[in-house]
Amino acid sequence: MQLSELPTVEVCRSVAASPRKVWALVSDITRVGDWGGECVHAEWIDGADGPAVGARFRGRQVRQGHQWTSVSVVIEAEPGVSFAWAVGDPQFASAT
């Protein structure tokens, strides 16, 4: 199965803020718990202290009474343009 054949979800939102301001908010993984959803906590690990390609963070997720952690790797970090990460090994990520 090719990556393009896997299920995907894409969300587009218009926000009354500059791209740099939005980027600063969404790339601050320590704030994910403030926004609700499945991931309730995240922290930089391995000496990382902010968004940069290769930086790793641990997230704690909760869904339907189940809790688990995952480690993600930042794969894109261009201020004001893009921020993306891969859950697990970027070569075999379970999600991006």
Side-chain angles (χ1 to χ4, degrees), residues 18-96:
S18 72
R20 285 203 176 267
K21 175 111 177 149
V22 173
W23 190 89
L25 290 170
V26 300
S27 66
D28 182 357
I29 59 94
T30 66
R31 304 240 0 241
V32 299
D34 297 343
W35 304 324
E38 183 175 279
C39 188
V40 297
H41 177 81
E43 62 187 347
W44 296 109
I45 59 173
D46 302 332
D49 62 359
V53 172
R56 293 171 18 111
F57 63 92
R58 179 178 299 111
R60 183 166 58 89
Q61 290 71 233
V62 177
R63 184 178 358 136
Q64 298 177 343
H66 299 287
Q67 294 187 38
W68 68 96
T69 61
S70 61
V71 173
S72 295
V73 180
V74 176
I75 57 174
E76 292 181 26
E78 187 176 346
V81 177
S82 67
F83 179 66
W85 66 92
V87 180
D89 180 342
Q91 297 287 6
F92 305 101
S94 60
T96 55

